[in-house]
Amino acid sequence: MEKILNYINGALVEPINNAYLDNYNPSIGKVYNQIPDSNEKDIDLGYNAANEAFSGWSKTPKEERSKIMMRIADLIEENLDELAKAESMDNGKPVKLAAHVDIPRAASNMRFFATAILHYASESHEMDGVAINYTLRKPIGVVGCISPWNLPLYLFTWKIAPALASGNCVVAKPSEVTPMTAYLFSKLCVEAGLPKGVLNIIHGMGPSVGSPITTHPGIKAISFTGGTATGKAIAKVAAPMFKKLSLELGGKNPNIIFADCDFDKALKTTMLSSFANQGQICLCGSRIFVERPIYEKFRDAFVAKTKQLKVGNPNDADTNLGAIVSKAHLEKVLSYVQLAQEEGGTVLAGGNKVQLEGELSEGYFMEPTIIEGLAFDCRTNQEEIFGPVVTIMPFDTEEEVVDMANSTEYGLAATVWTQDVGKSTRLGASLASGIVWVNCWLVRDLRTPFGGVKNSGVGREGGFNALNFFTEQTNVCIKL
Ligand code: TXE
């Protein structure tokens, strides 16, 4: 059985303890390769390699760093088919989605930060003939990047690219649930000539690999995307060590549909914002609020379209939903359907595990699910489910829907459908959310601030925000 390897000091290596974990293909429900079960000793090796490489990499001219990153981006594109198939096999998502979204975005992440660093400038403050201040922005040193399973290579590169571009060396941990594309990526880094030690990718579990990254005294900044509970645990250990922290956590996003919307566009995009990637995107709109005059019309059209979605083989071009990422996660998502019914909800579509045939008979498939009749403040409407399950509710006034939308502990993304500019600007201001999309969803300009408020996270990624995060400032004041 194929073994995934760690990438430390420029080489692909076995974990020190030679222990491995099983890696499942969620579409067939079977182990298909093995992943290093690394521990703090491998983190020490990775850290030492990164620390050694730092002086060279941080002094490498930006243009040179940029060129190497651009070569990695080219290699991602040249290997798009292989990467997309690997992502699908590891995560369960349709190959088509990985080929159109995940892998192209990984290349864009590398290219975006490879060029952003060339345009990165810092401030100067002149004091009326007294002195002039200028701000130097220096790389931090060795930084840690920890990423989740839902958009594996996409989110992994979203962190690594700005860290490397700004001259840091990295110890990175992909999710143990979806390690494959990070492994293939490490091979591309070797091929592209990334100097040894600049990036170290170490595989394994959260407690044995993620935790030693967050507690390592030499790793001065942590960029993390994942669950809110894990984010809380990381903040607890990293804050007293005065580490810089960027936390991208969960969401329970409202999708607000006013009666004056472009109905067809709202419906078409709601299909995606509800069920893309089996609903396993932290930006998915899982609470749908529809203004009462169009509630029944929208609900019926949405239910009819959802029933037509194909849950099936991720390799088929006409598959809309592939497998849920793991057995444990499928069980968690199904338990929320049960909870919703206990809380008085009615399942309008889906609600069940899907039993496919042949090779896929043991896979973790689930119907896209719509639930009606729940109070906005019940558990189903407050807790992150992170699967193909949405709730739908009517509303009467703008004030009421803003209150319901803002009622959760999360505040990552919101979507608003209206033709009224005044209403959209009012909601843009009053929704407690890091991102508000009006008449669209998941339209991403990589320069914009990305992140959430409340328990959805701390800090912002994207554009110069990410370069600011991965640099330390020194103000130099010169007396005139
Ligand atoms: O996340 P975890 P999981 C949410 C979603 C999902 C839940 C759990 O609700 O159901 O999180 O998913 C590493 N110190 N999101 O289990 O556990 C872990 O190995 C350091 C939202 O995947 O947070 C993995 O690499 N690291 C989300 C990463 O943290 C630790 C996307 C994320 O794992 C660690 C995915 C520790 N103590 C899930 N424990 C989003 N916002 O995009 C675990 N890890």
Side-chain angles (χ1 to χ4, degrees):
M1 194 171 280
E2 190 189 3
K3 278 182 176 161
I4 285 172
L5 296 171
N6 287 333
Y7 171 52
I8 300 179
N9 206 20
L12 297 169
V13 295
E14 304 227 24
I16 293 173
N17 61 8
N18 212 25
Y20 285 84
L21 300 160
D22 288 337
N23 185 29
Y24 283 78
N25 172 341
S27 304
I28 59 170
K30 292 196 171 69
V31 176
Y32 81 109
N33 61 26
Q34 294 208 301
I35 145 176
D37 185 9
S38 313
N39 62 30
E40 72 283 356
K41 293 194 180 119
D42 302 281
I43 295 300
D44 283 341
L45 270 192
Y47 169 77
N48 291 339
N51 196 34
E52 186 115 326
F54 178 66
S55 118
W57 182 246
S58 57
K59 292 191 190 88
T60 300
K62 290 182 192 64
E63 288 74 10
E64 186 54 32
R65 294 204 296 260
S66 174
K67 261 190 216 156
I68 296 172
M69 291 179 62
M70 295 292 259
R71 275 208 291 277
I72 299 174
D74 290 344
L75 286 171
I76 293 174
E77 278 170 355
E78 283 166 28
N79 291 278
L80 186 138
D81 285 347
E82 186 195 357
L83 288 163
K85 282 186 193 137
E87 202 71 292
S88 164
M89 205 179 278
D90 228 15
N91 171 280
K93 68 179 70 202
V95 174
K96 192 178 57 180
L97 181 71
H100 283 99
V101 178
D102 294 71
I103 308 306
R105 176 59 193 278
S108 301
N109 288 339
M110 297 307 288
R111 213 164 262 145
F112 177 82
F113 286 108
T115 50
I117 195 66
L118 304 178
H119 301 265
Y120 189 43
S122 65
E123 307 80 6
S124 83
H125 300 89
E126 200 199 343
M127 297 170 68
D128 300 326
V130 178
I132 184 155
N133 298 271
Y134 64 90
T135 310
L136 275 181
R137 288 189 185 270
K138 306 172 196 166
I140 296 169
V142 180
V143 299
C145 298
I146 302 175
S147 58
W149 47 257
N150 59 332
L151 301 165
L153 192 61
Y154 175 134
L155 290 176
F156 194 60
T157 50
W158 178 236
K159 299 182 175 307
I160 287 169
L164 295 178
S166 47
N168 299 283
C169 292
V170 177
V171 177
K173 178 203 170 318
S175 169
E176 66 277 14
V177 184
T178 53
M180 193 61 192
T181 47
Y183 172 53
L184 298 175
F185 179 78
S186 53
K187 292 185 181 180
L188 300 182
C189 291
V190 175
E191 195 179 336
L194 186 69
K196 64 180 190 168
V198 167
L199 171 64
N200 302 276
I201 301 175
I202 299 166
H203 297 271
M205 302 297 288
S208 43
V209 175
S211 185
I213 293 178
T214 60
T215 53
H216 197 293
I219 298 178
K220 298 292 186 199
I222 305 289
S223 175
F224 169 82
T225 298
T228 293
T230 314
K232 209 178 265 182
I234 290 175
K236 222 173 175 175
V237 295
M241 297 176 81
F242 307 113
K243 296 190 183 204
K244 279 184 108 175
L245 272 182
S246 167
L247 302 173
E248 293 300 331
L249 310 175
K252 185 74 180 175
N253 308 306
N255 175 11
I256 302 169
I257 301 167
F258 285 97
D260 68 354
C261 70
D262 180 325
F263 188 92
D264 293 339
K265 282 190 188 148
L267 180 60
K268 193 168 169 215
T269 306
T270 294
M271 297 301 295
L272 293 174
S273 64
S274 303
F275 303 123
N277 206 40
Q278 297 73 244
Q280 301 165 136
I281 304 180
C282 51
L283 306 165
C284 277
S286 54
R287 294 178 296 147
I288 305 173
F289 298 99
V290 187
E291 203 171 11
R292 203 169 304 268
I294 63 160
Y295 178 75
E296 284 175 13
K297 181 181 168 200
F298 187 90
R299 178 199 62 194
D300 294 348
F302 180 48
V303 168
K305 266 190 169 294
T306 298
K307 286 185 174 168
Q308 285 164 12
L309 291 176
K310 183 184 162 196
V311 180
N313 190 334
N315 295 318
D316 293 348
D318 63 345
T319 288
N320 299 110
L321 283 86
I324 302 292
V325 74
S326 68
K327 188 160 185 270
H329 194 57
L330 172 64
E331 281 163 6
K332 176 188 154 188
V333 176
L334 286 169
S335 77
Y336 272 100
V337 177
Q338 174 78 30
L339 173 70
Q341 287 167 311
E342 285 162 21
E343 290 185 316
T346 305
V347 176
L348 301 179
N352 303 301
K353 185 176 186 299
V354 173
Q355 185 60 52
L356 296 178
E357 303 280 295
E359 202 197 13
L360 306 175
S361 63
E362 303 287 313
Y364 317 133
F365 295 90
M366 180 179 171
E367 293 170 335
T369 301
I370 305 171
I371 298 166
E372 185 188 43
L374 289 170
F376 77 92
D377 56 355
C378 69
R379 274 185 61 203
T380 310
N381 269 327
Q382 295 290 315
E383 297 176 15
E384 187 183 37
I385 300 174
F386 216 64
V389 177
V390 297
T391 60
I392 187 162
M393 289 154 277
F395 71 89
D396 293 300
T397 68
E398 203 178 302
E399 294 70 29
E400 178 198 13
V401 79
V402 168
D403 284 347
M404 292 195 291
N406 288 346
S407 67
T408 73
E409 69 180 49
Y410 298 106
L412 188 53
T415 305
V416 178
W417 290 93
T418 176
Q419 311 265 31
D420 179 337
V421 177
K423 210 184 281 173
S424 60
T425 49
R426 283 196 299 279
L427 265 81
S430 57
L431 286 168
S433 185
I435 300 156
V436 177
W437 276 297
V438 179
N439 298 332
C440 61
W441 176 72
L442 209 54
V443 174
R444 290 281 294 117
D445 179 328
L446 303 190
R447 295 169 301 179
T448 58
F450 179 87
V453 301
K454 300 196 275 184
N455 292 3
S456 288
V458 176
R460 293 291 180 276
E461 298 185 306
F464 294 137
N465 289 294
L467 297 178
N468 289 346
F469 175 76
F470 283 115
T471 50
E472 282 289 9
Q473 303 177 47
T474 299
N475 184 65
V476 182
C477 176
I478 303 174
K479 179 94 171 64
L480 296 177

